Amino acid sequence: MSIDHALPHQGETHNHSNNNNRKQPSSASSTVVYATSRQSSSFSRWLRQLAVVCRLNVLLLIRYWKAALLQAVILPLLVVGIIYGVQKAFTSDNGKITVGDSNVSTWTMEGISHCKPEPLSNACMTIVYTPQNAETNQIMNYFQTQNMARTNQELKIESKVWDDLSSVPKSDMGIVPVPSEQFIYDYALAHPDTIQLGVAFTKQDPVAPATAVHWNYQVYYNMTHATNITVKSGFQYTKEAGFNRQAGFDDPYGAQLPNMFRAIDEALLTFLDPQHTQAQLDYSLRSFPTADRVNGYSSGDSMVNALSNLMALPACITMIMVMLRVMKEKESKCRESMEMMGLSSFTYWTAQWLTSWIMPLIQGTVIVALGYAFKMQMFVNSNGFVMWAMFVLLAYAMTLLGLLLTTFCQKSGTALGFGFALLVAVLIVVPILASGMWPDLWVDTSSSSHDPTTGNPLPPNVKYTWILCFVFPFLNFARLWSQISSVALGGFDYKTNEYVAGRGFNYSTLAYLAPMEENWEGLVPQPASGLTWQFICIAVIALLTLYFDKVVADEYGRSKNMFFFLGGIADFFRWVRYGGADGLARHKSADAQKVIPYEGQPPIGEDDDVVAERERAINCQTDVAIRISNLTKTYTKNGPGFFKNLYLTLCCCCCRTRRRSNKIENRAVDRLNLLTEPNELFALLGQNGAGKSTTMQMLYGVTTPAAGNAFLFNRSIRTDMQAIRSTMGVCPQHDVLFNDLTCWEHMQLYAGIKDLPAEALRAAFDDSYASTETVKENTRERHTWIRSRLEAVQLWKDRDTMAGRLSGGMKRRLSTIISTIGDPNVLILDEPTTGMDPVHRRHVWTFLAQFKRGRSILLTTHSMEEADALGDKVAIMVSGHLKAIGNTTRLKNKFGNGYRVELALGHPTEQFPDIPAQKDLEQEMTEATRAIMPESVLLDKSGGVMVFGIPMQAIERMADLTAMLENAQGLGRVKQWGIAQTSLEEVFLSLIRSSDDRH
């Protein structure tokens, strides 16, 4: 008779002839449409992948349009508006003279008055001169005579030369001879504010045939007296100390200097006159009209440099936003997912660099447009293109600097901290450098020296802090801003007491701008180099990003050697050695089939099938899909990092040995050996922490093995991971999806990364769908391949739903079909059906059963039913070791507890009125079963149902038992009965319980 399936039981159900047929998923409603990657050059593939990732970044930028609007328009408008408002608050008609100084009078100079000592000085010298000889003495006598006539004050000419550099006069002195011009300079440095004026004469005798004698003189003056730079409390300067001094202005053209020039000129003219007639020169001074000033500022433009940090604020905010977006992709493993599908890190960063131009271009345009709209002199009086380039390059370089910082971060919070720290640095440093301090990066402006012969200032010492400009782009911005503002902005000239409009910044100024000090010529850069250096800074930051992205360890501890870039040289020589790509491929294939000896002692009590599998993996001489040999993964308590790797690289061997010996190790996978064949679905079972996911992660390159190796179609996971990923599909344990992309956009994204041909996405579709779809949907019906995959897992109706809005089961279905894009040779599925309901789980099973043809699938799962339904070969892991391997029937026969017999007892009816009571019937059936099979065990009896366990050694008497049950059913004592083999779940639990390594 047939077996009734109404009884509740697990596992495989058999009829009375004991055929062991494994269940298969129901047939698919439609066939699988395949689309493989196109055959093209590596460069063409790279360009298409680059275009796909760029499209992704632009799409996400559009999705985050509010944040983009804030960065591109609102923030620049706010910054320019603040600066414009501050300018208006501290301005006086933009420097235009609307109200002149009506109290301007002419002043007739009265001569040189006797010096007045400073409050902290004992005495002073009015005038010193050099050299002392008969001619200069006569000249100074004429000087003294004419000056006394004007001032009624006698300036006594000292007869003795003052040559003591260390002493100061005890009383005020008039005209004092000194040994040399250098003495005047040195004495003024040694005793400030002691000498009021100095003059050095030089006589040039005629050279034949000329007969004229030339006299030159150099006047030295005290800047303190002339301009009131050093004002001491309690001292009131007089009119003689400087014209207009009482009004509180600084006037370098004070009365003393023109008085001195006039008096020396008169003395020389008198001396050179043969009759020595006293010369008389009449000079007078008069100032220009001065404009009224408000709050001490003659023009609001003087505030621009102080607020230059605000102009860099939009660039900093853009940098922080890009850092958060990249860190979000890093934390959510979206970038890792794209790389697992074959995207290189260089392609990823190149796409970031290209799309990062969008926001700076818009931002720079908006800032310059607002500057012109507000008629700010910094913009109106400058070359518009230079201003635009300055802001664009700043924003772009800062964005790239933010990308560089993300390579050192594993969490968004850390990256955000770096971003705001850099923002604070910009707000502090930029206004300081923009105010004129930027030359300190190139020269030592704090010290000065003079030529002892000529007295001319010598070039300052060179500094090399400008190297920081190649890493921190805001330094270049501050320098260029300062240089532009120095000629574009107007300002108050304290020498003339007037507002001076900027002469403007143009292309000629870009090429050459005179330095602030003459002796800085050639030591400080020109404005044009500010843009050039910004490009160099961008290139340096990009290279550092590529380097540290490889060297800094990620959350899995993966990192490359500090000199990894030298590996390309070894690869080239290896390519030459084996005669090109074909020879290298043959060499790798031979390596994949080499005997790999087993290391260490095998676990005690290892199963025979596991031993046989290990021997096959060690001595594999044929091409297989996956060969895993001695694969080991060990986690340490203090995992590796960039600085730890640097320390271990530099320290001595004994230090490394001692440091490593102190680490606490946990071996997650211990010398795993197994093989999988093409057209085979290999199911890997195990408890949480058994090592399943770790094994998967080593196979698709998320984590590196501590020992051993694995080959996927003859490619090593240690050396050829990039090539493996291009032909591999991965569904990780946790969903890795972009929350702001739809199912449709996910499929297009990963199809582009896999470089599927365009015709695979635009093939004609069955016309039978046309009557049921809208016009919009008809345009997508031609995408046969994408539609077939979405329909296979029941996601076609949700194709336009954002991934962030999908349920957990829908996300797993989407992740599963994403892994099949490109029809990979190897498909790795890590618990793909977790969280799915039974209906959709069956759809996924059906799809996988069809899709495995021609490829190898490695599956991990906690569902024994799934492994039973899909697995051609099943392996069970416990604590990193392989405990059992084989097909499901063999595992059940070898490790199971035999069979289960379930009986539903009958009860008295009109047809069978002589049925005994239930308790007596249970006793009767127990005795009848044990009479045939004494080894049977009553497992359960409740509710009129009895369950017997039949061991494997009693299988030969199964026919007698079924005959007895059929006879009892004919007598009404048994209503229904069934025989089932031990379930895979029971086999799994049995192995776990019996394992010495169980958790």
Side-chain angles (χ1 to χ4, degrees):
M1 63 171 291
S2 61
I3 305 299
D4 194 324
H5 294 275
L7 291 175
H9 62 271
Q10 299 288 332
E12 300 181 12
T13 305
H14 305 270
N15 58 21
H16 61 272
S17 61
N18 296 315
N19 291 329
N20 297 330
N21 298 320
R22 185 167 53 86
K23 292 191 301 182
Q24 297 290 341
S26 59
S27 60
S29 58
S30 60
T31 59
V32 177
V33 179
Y34 295 95
T36 58
S37 302
R38 68 181 95 194
Q39 300 297 322
S40 59
S41 65
S42 299
F43 182 71
S44 299
R45 179 187 179 94
W46 178 80
L47 284 179
R48 286 188 288 269
Q49 287 184 337
L50 180 63
V52 168
V53 183
C54 287
R55 178 182 177 275
L56 167 67
N57 292 340
V58 173
L59 185 60
L60 292 177
L61 188 64
I62 295 174
R63 295 278 161 84
Y64 304 143
W65 65 269
K66 293 181 180 179
L69 182 65
L70 172 67
Q71 301 170 57
V73 179
I74 298 177
L75 195 56
L77 180 61
L78 181 63
V79 167
V80 176
I82 291 174
I83 296 179
Y84 180 76
V86 172
Q87 282 184 286
K88 284 299 182 181
F90 291 91
T91 191
S92 61
D93 302 319
N94 280 332
K96 297 179 181 179
I97 301 176
T98 57
V99 180
D101 186 359
S102 59
N103 189 24
V104 176
S105 60
T106 302
W107 177 46
T108 302
M109 295 180 290
E110 300 174 353
I112 305 297
S113 301
H114 209 290
C115 68
K116 295 181 180 180
E118 292 291 327
L120 301 181
S121 300
N122 296 323
C124 62
M125 301 178 185
T126 303
I127 298 173
V128 297
Y129 73 96
T130 188
Q132 185 193 39
N133 53 45
E135 292 177 320
T136 57
N137 288 342
Q138 188 175 0
I139 292 172
M140 294 310 296
N141 280 327
Y142 292 138
F143 175 92
Q144 179 200 37
T145 301
Q146 185 66 9
N147 190 73
M148 186 171 62
R150 288 194 175 101
T151 62
N152 295 322
Q153 296 180 12
E154 180 183 5
L155 295 177
K156 180 182 178 183
I157 301 177
E158 303 291 337
S159 59
K160 182 179 180 181
V161 176
W162 186 283
D163 57 0
D164 188 356
L165 189 62
S166 61
S167 63
V168 295
K170 298 181 179 179
S171 60
D172 296 342
M173 304 178 70
I175 300 174
V176 183
V178 294
S180 65
E181 184 175 355
Q182 183 63 37
F183 182 87
I184 299 176
Y185 183 83
D186 293 339
Y187 193 87
L189 287 178
H191 308 286
D193 299 332
T194 300
I195 300 176
Q196 180 172 289
L197 292 167
V199 60
F201 294 98
T202 304
K203 179 182 178 182
Q204 296 180 356
D205 293 326
V207 179
T211 60
V213 178
H214 293 274
W215 281 86
N216 300 321
Y217 66 90
Q218 173 71 51
V219 173
Y220 289 86
Y221 70 97
N222 192 322
M223 194 70 173
T224 303
H225 292 171
T227 63
N228 191 23
I229 288 180
T230 306
V231 178
K232 293 180 174 60
S233 176
F235 183 75
Q236 183 67 37
Y237 281 97
T238 63
K239 185 176 182 180
E240 290 77 8
F243 179 65
N244 231 359
R245 177 66 56 207
Q246 292 178 347
F249 299 113
D250 293 331
D251 180 15
Y253 303 107
Q256 294 283 18
L257 286 181
N259 274 330
M260 185 67 176
F261 296 145
R262 181 182 65 171
I264 296 295
D265 288 345
E266 289 176 337
L268 282 172
L269 290 173
T270 303
F271 171 77
L272 295 174
D273 183 45
Q275 288 76 31
H276 301 294
T277 303
Q278 180 65 51
Q280 184 75 29
L281 299 176
D282 291 330
Y283 289 174
S284 63
L285 295 178
R286 189 175 187 182
S287 67
F288 287 113
T290 58
D292 291 341
R293 298 180 295 172
V294 178
N295 294 334
Y297 292 96
S298 62
S299 171
D301 289 329
S302 58
M303 293 297 297
V304 171
N305 284 337
L307 298 176
S308 57
N309 52 359
L310 293 182
M311 301 303 293
L313 186 60
C316 295
I317 298 301
T318 298
M319 173 197 69
I320 293 175
M321 298 299 290
V322 172
M323 291 177 67
L324 291 178
R325 178 177 61 80
V326 172
M327 287 305 303
K328 183 178 179 182
E329 293 179 2
K330 192 174 185 179
E331 284 184 315
S332 63
K333 307 296 188 299
C334 288
R335 175 191 168 184
E336 184 67 37
S337 175
M338 291 188 289
E339 292 183 352
M340 285 190 295
M341 297 294 279
L343 184 72
S344 67
S345 60
F346 177 73
T347 307
Y348 175 82
W349 286 118
T350 304
Q352 300 297 333
W353 297 333
L354 289 178
T355 53
S356 292
W357 278 109
I358 298 175
M359 196 58 61
L361 288 172
I362 300 175
Q363 198 175 83
T365 303
V366 171
I367 291 176
V368 174
L370 290 173
Y372 277 96
F374 284 100
K375 297 182 179 180
M376 299 173 65
Q377 289 299 309
M378 182 70 180
F379 294 88
V380 175
N381 210 20
S382 301
N383 183 277
F385 176 77
V386 175
M387 297 294 294
W388 176 81
M390 179 178 66
F391 284 109
V392 170
L393 291 179
L394 170 68
Y396 183 69
M398 290 297 294
T399 300
L400 263 62
L401 181 59
L403 294 176
L404 170 61
L405 293 177
T406 60
T407 62
F408 297 92
C409 306
Q410 301 299 333
K411 300 295 182 182
S412 296
T414 306
L416 191 62
F418 275 127
F420 276 107
L422 196 58
L423 172 61
V424 172
V426 169
L427 295 179
I428 295 175
V429 173
V430 168
I432 295 176
L433 297 181
S435 63
M437 298 292 290
W438 65 268
D440 286 276
L441 297 175
W442 276 265
V443 295
D444 185 4
T445 61
S446 61
S447 62
S448 61
S449 58
H450 292 73
D451 191 321
T453 303
T454 64
N456 296 327
L458 296 175
N461 297 327
V462 178
K463 296 169 66 175
Y464 294 94
T465 48
W466 53 265
I467 297 176
L468 296 174
C469 295
F470 291 138
V471 181
F472 299 106
F474 57 87
L475 300 181
N476 293 318
F477 168 78
R479 187 252 290 188
L480 188 56
W481 180 276
S482 178
Q483 290 177 314
I484 294 176
S485 65
S486 65
V487 293
L489 297 180
F492 186 78
D493 190 341
Y494 289 99
K495 294 182 179 181
T496 62
N497 202 31
E498 298 298 324
Y499 174 83
V500 179
R503 67 177 185 268
F505 187 89
N506 48 40
Y507 283 115
S508 61
T509 315
L510 183 66
Y512 177 77
L513 179 65
M516 289 182 283
E517 299 290 342
E518 292 183 3
N519 60 331
W520 293 356
E521 187 73 41
L523 299 179
V524 294
Q526 294 299 323
S529 66
L531 301 178
T532 305
W533 283 41
Q534 205 73 294
F535 278 110
I536 298 175
C537 180
I538 289 171
V540 170
I541 292 175
L543 291 176
L544 290 177
T545 301
L546 292 175
Y547 177 77
F548 286 110
D549 185 54
K550 298 290 187 181
V551 173
V552 178
D554 59 13
E555 63 176 304
Y556 299 104
R558 293 179 302 172
S559 64
K560 290 190 176 182
N561 186 275
M562 295 177 62
F563 306 101
F564 72 92
F565 48 87
L566 299 179
I569 301 176
D571 292 339
F572 172 75
F573 283 109
R574 193 180 298 111
W575 183 85
V576 173
R577 176 184 177 185
Y578 295 108
D582 293 338
L584 188 60
R586 289 192 297 270
H587 171 71
K588 290 180 179 180
S589 178
D591 279 348
Q593 297 176 15
K594 286 183 179 179
V595 175
I596 303 177
Y598 185 73
E599 299 177 357
Q601 296 297 323
I604 300 175
E606 194 172 35
D607 182 67
D608 294 340
D609 291 337
V610 174
V611 174
E613 185 74 9
R614 182 174 66 242
E615 294 301 322
R616 289 181 60 219
I618 290 175
N619 301 288
C620 179
Q621 301 294 318
T622 59
D623 291 334
V624 294
I626 302 175
R627 179 193 180 190
I628 300 177
S629 299
N630 299 324
L631 196 63
T632 303
K633 180 61 180 178
T634 302
Y635 291 104
T636 56
K637 186 175 182 180
N638 51 342
F642 171 69
F643 295 105
K644 292 178 182 177
N645 283 335
L646 177 62
Y647 167 75
L648 292 176
T649 301
L650 298 179
C651 67
C652 60
C653 296
C654 60
C655 293
R656 289 199 299 268
T657 303
R658 183 171 62 253
R659 181 176 178 85
R660 287 167 179 161
S661 64
N662 294 330
K663 293 181 178 180
I664 302 175
E665 296 184 347
N666 175 32
R667 184 161 290 189
V669 179
D670 189 6
R671 298 168 295 173
L672 182 64
N673 292 273
L674 56 86
L675 297 175
T676 68
E677 303 287 346
N679 301 306
E680 181 180 79
L681 193 150
F682 188 99
L684 190 60
L685 307 179
Q687 293 175 284
N688 292 328
K692 309 183 305 301
S693 296
T694 303
T695 301
M696 297 292 194
Q697 290 172 356
M698 287 189 285
L699 293 181
Y700 56 74
V702 169
T703 184
T704 55
N709 205 344
F711 301 90
L712 283 71
F713 285 95
N714 297 329
R715 290 172 174 168
S716 170
I717 63 172
R718 287 186 173 272
T719 59
D720 297 321
M721 182 51 66
Q722 188 62 38
I724 289 174
R725 285 180 164 183
S726 64
T727 59
M728 172 195 287
V730 178
C731 176
Q733 185 177 15
H734 303 288
D735 297 309
V736 180
L737 302 171
F738 292 91
N739 290 334
D740 298 293
L741 294 185
T742 65
C743 299
W744 182 272
E745 290 164 347
H746 273 94
M747 298 296 288
Q748 287 186 319
L749 169 65
Y750 288 103
I753 293 176
K754 282 293 187 180
D755 196 27
L756 297 190
E759 55 270 17
L761 303 179
R762 295 194 296 266
F765 201 74
D766 189 352
D767 292 336
S768 62
Y769 289 94
S771 60
T772 61
E773 302 290 345
T774 64
V775 176
K776 180 179 179 181
E777 290 168 335
N778 285 332
T779 62
R780 295 185 176 181
E781 286 173 0
R782 294 179 299 173
H783 296 256
T784 308
W785 174 82
I786 293 181
R787 177 163 185 167
S788 69
R789 295 292 166 91
L790 291 173
E791 287 183 335
V793 293
Q794 304 296 299
L795 281 177
W796 174 248
K797 293 182 179 180
D798 300 293
R799 61 189 178 277
D800 293 323
T801 304
M802 297 289 182
R805 299 178 182 177
L806 298 177
S807 66
M810 297 170 76
K811 289 181 180 179
R812 291 309 291 165
R813 282 183 275 153
L814 180 58
S815 298
T816 301
I817 58 170
I818 285 175
S819 66
T820 66
I821 293 176
D823 300 335
N825 295 328
V826 176
L827 182 61
I828 296 179
L829 305 173
D830 197 353
E831 302 178 17
T833 60
T834 301
M836 291 188 196
D837 60 85
V839 174
H840 292 103
R841 185 186 301 124
R842 291 282 176 175
H843 285 290
V844 173
W845 290 358
T846 300
F847 172 76
L848 293 178
Q850 291 185 337
F851 187 75
K852 73 177 181 180
R853 299 166 189 166
R855 57 189 48 81
S856 176
I857 300 179
L858 189 58
L859 168 77
T860 68
T861 181
H862 287 294
S863 172
M864 303 301 138
E865 183 184 6
E866 182 171 278
D868 204 355
L870 296 176
D872 298 302
K873 185 190 291 185
V874 177
I876 299 176
M877 287 186 69
V878 178
S879 299
H881 295 281
L882 199 63
K883 285 298 179 182
I885 189 169
N887 57 43
T888 55
T889 301
R890 179 170 179 79
L891 292 178
K892 291 175 183 178
N893 291 336
K894 189 171 186 179
F895 299 102
N897 294 322
Y899 291 83
R900 293 163 55 95
V901 178
E902 299 186 17
L903 314 176
L905 301 178
H907 52 83
T909 61
E910 294 181 358
Q911 184 179 0
F912 303 105
D914 57 343
I915 300 297
Q918 180 174 325
K919 185 176 181 179
D920 296 334
L921 185 57
E922 289 175 354
Q923 181 66 27
E924 179 182 335
M925 294 307 302
T926 300
E927 293 174 355
T929 301
R930 288 177 175 170
I932 299 173
M933 292 184 175
E935 303 90 345
S936 62
V937 178
L938 180 61
L939 301 178
D940 183 35
K941 59 175 181 177
S942 60
V945 176
M946 301 182 67
V947 180
F948 291 92
I950 308 299
M952 292 298 298
Q953 59 269 26
I955 191 68
E956 66 275 3
R957 297 191 294 277
M958 187 64 72
D960 297 335
L961 180 62
T962 57
M964 184 272 292
L965 293 175
E966 288 181 349
N967 182 55
Q969 187 176 22
L971 298 175
R973 280 168 165 71
V974 176
K975 291 192 300 182
Q976 294 176 341
W977 61 274
I979 301 176
Q981 193 176 19
T982 302
S983 67
L984 188 61
E985 181 175 357
E986 292 175 331
V987 172
F988 176 78
L989 294 175
S990 176
L991 286 172
I992 296 298
R993 294 190 189 102
S994 62
S995 174
D996 293 334
D997 300 326
R998 66 181 180 272
H999 294 285

